[in-house]
Amino acid sequence: MENLLKVKQLKKYFDTPGGTLHAVDDINFSLAAGETLGVVGESGCGKSTLGRVVLHLLESTSGQIWFEGKDITHVSRSELRELRKKMQIIFQDPYASVDPRMTISAVIDEPLRNNGMKSRSEREEKVAELMELIGLAKRFTDYYPHELDGGRRQRAVIARALATNPRFIVCDEPVSALDVSIQAQVINLIMELQEKLRLTYMFISHDLSVVKYVSTHIMVMYLGQTVEYAETGDLFAHPVHPYTQALLSAVPIPKLGAQKQRILLKGEITSPIDPKPGCRFAPRCPRACEQCHQEIPALREVADGHMVACHMV
Ligand SMILES: Nc1ncnc2c1ncn2[C@@H]1O[C@H](COP(=O)(O)OP(=O)(O)OP(=O)(O)O)[C@@H](O)[C@H]1O
Ligand code: SF4
Ligand SMILES: [Mg+2]
């Protein structure tokens, strides 16, 4: 399968008063058209930063990014403009990503106008088409964002993201701010759109059951690094890294009578500023030994397409 997106040794460091913060620290992956990469890990592990760097919303510190076979690590202003049409993002909070003074149709119309669709009637037609596509009734056209419930507001945001016919979308916690009762509807919409429009996603979430449902592949991140990467079924059937095992042990299993021991992690995630040598998970790892505190474990393939960074595996 052709790679739509490929990322190699991607890093994003921030200079902070306390030192250099390693938000994204040597990430590698590739994604074929139509696939979904689920990205999971605790708050602050670098998920959003990774998504933003891939989209050029933030400039990387180092590393390379390819999209549609082209090196897009460094792009000119005009190239970036073209890229923006093809790569989009949907955020957690639809309130923060829409102008409250714009009506829903104006919100969806904005990218059309900005991308040179001059004819007003053509744009109106496209807005109506997009609203139908994401399941928002015509009567909401002149509503303001605050007049819609969270689910409908997020639908409008999705419609806007689709206006320029993108191929790749970063979904950054797209349902986390929604009522549980409507989360499933929006997730199903996101998946239907993928089928219909052959979209490729990076799906960021701290909710493993959501990630399991939507992703073809999963990357587990810890303090800016990948600790495990595998196809979804494989990761859930054979989690290898102690951190992944702990995360999965906290997810309820629907199978009746299934039992599992919850692994409780001691302590907080450590600081991403000037990280110490050794495995970044060592301070919390139940299996840590001397070597773990000295040497950084490399990400290695332990089975076909299944990568793990741990000395004990
Ligand atoms: N502009 C910035 N300047 C300095 N540090 C930043 C900046 N943006 C993010 N960080 C830091 O980078 C690290 C990764 O943050 P990021 O938002 O990517 O994490 P996340 O995994 O998306 O977390 P969450 O699940 O809470 O959304 C954090 O330590 C954060 O404080
Ligand atoms: S390398 Fe050591 S500390 Fe890190 S996850 Fe593996 S066993 Fe735990
Ligand atoms: Mg985030």
Side-chain angles (χ1 to χ4, degrees), residues 5-308:
L5 178 71
K6 188 172 168 187
V7 155
K8 200 172 161 195
Q9 296 177 337
L10 199 62
K11 296 186 184 177
K12 178 63 186 177
Y13 292 175
F14 294 106
D15 283 323
T16 71
T20 306
L21 191 151
H22 295 221
V24 169
D25 210 356
D26 198 358
I27 296 289
N28 298 276
F29 68 83
S30 55
L31 204 50
E35 289 182 337
T36 298
L37 176 68
V39 180
V40 292
E42 280 159 296
S43 182
C45 72
K47 306 180 293 296
S48 298
T49 305
L50 175 62
R52 286 163 162 273
V53 169
V54 168
L55 297 182
H56 276 279
L57 293 169
L58 277 173
E59 282 315 299
S60 59
T61 302
S62 63
Q64 277 172 293
I65 312 166
W66 290 265
F67 183 68
E68 295 179 322
K70 234 182 89 193
D71 188 337
I72 60 154
T73 315
H74 305 287
V75 287
S76 67
R77 229 170 225 276
S78 63
E79 285 169 325
L80 188 58
R81 221 182 137 77
E82 285 308 305
L83 214 53
R84 286 263 185 277
K85 295 187 202 166
K86 294 183 183 172
M87 303 172 105
Q88 287 284 338
I89 186 163
I90 302 166
F91 296 105
Q92 168 174 357
D93 182 2
Y95 257 129
S97 46
V98 296
D99 184 338
R101 297 159 304 181
M102 284 165 91
T103 61
I104 294 307
S105 62
V107 165
I108 303 172
D109 183 52
E110 196 179 30
L112 299 174
R113 222 168 351 114
N114 289 345
N115 284 293
M117 199 187 258
K118 290 213 170 63
S119 146
R120 200 192 162 98
S121 62
E122 221 178 293
R123 292 202 323 262
E124 277 172 4
E125 208 173 294
K126 180 77 180 175
V127 168
E129 193 186 296
L130 285 163
M131 285 182 69
E132 194 183 329
L133 182 68
I134 51 87
L136 206 54
K138 250 199 177 108
R139 67 192 156 93
F140 296 115
T141 306
D142 295 322
Y143 276 51
Y144 287 91
H146 72 269
E147 296 176 304
L148 297 186
D149 63 41
R152 292 201 175 98
R153 200 156 46 233
Q154 193 62 306
R155 281 174 194 265
V157 169
I158 294 171
R160 185 182 58 178
L162 294 175
T164 55
N165 303 319
R167 293 192 71 193
F168 173 68
I169 302 181
V170 173
C171 304
D172 191 350
E173 305 268 10
V175 298
S176 308
L178 303 177
D179 278 355
V180 174
S181 58
I182 43 180
Q183 285 188 357
Q185 290 173 22
V186 175
I187 288 169
N188 285 333
L189 170 69
I190 289 173
M191 294 184 73
E192 281 163 30
L193 291 169
Q194 177 167 44
E195 274 287 307
K196 249 188 225 167
L197 308 172
R198 201 170 149 70
L199 294 167
T200 306
Y201 291 139
M202 177 189 278
F203 196 101
I204 296 170
S205 179
H206 61 270
D207 186 338
L208 269 169
S209 45
V210 171
V211 172
K212 181 181 185 184
Y213 185 62
V214 301
S215 309
T216 53
H217 298 77
I218 294 181
M219 182 161 86
V220 182
M221 283 181 75
Y222 194 83
L223 281 177
Q225 300 185 316
T226 304
V227 295
E228 189 157 3
Y229 169 90
E231 280 188 19
T232 303
D234 202 16
L235 188 96
F236 276 82
H238 311 286
V240 180
H241 195 281
Y243 179 61
T244 312
Q245 290 173 348
L247 283 183
L248 293 193
S249 77
V251 182
I253 7 181
K255 224 189 322 175
L256 248 157
Q259 286 283 329
K260 65 179 167 181
Q261 195 77 36
R262 178 148 183 192
I263 306 165
L264 287 172
L265 286 177
K266 287 176 293 191
E268 296 276 302
I269 196 162
T270 42
S271 166
I273 298 175
D274 300 321
K276 293 189 187 65
C279 173
R280 291 186 188 171
F281 186 56
R284 298 167 82 188
C285 182
R287 294 170 65 189
C289 66
E290 197 44 42
Q291 187 191 12
C292 302
H293 293 279
Q294 317 277 340
E295 280 173 46
I296 301 172
L299 193 65
R300 323 178 265 122
E301 194 162 18
V302 292
D304 194 22
H306 193 142
M307 315 282 291
V308 182

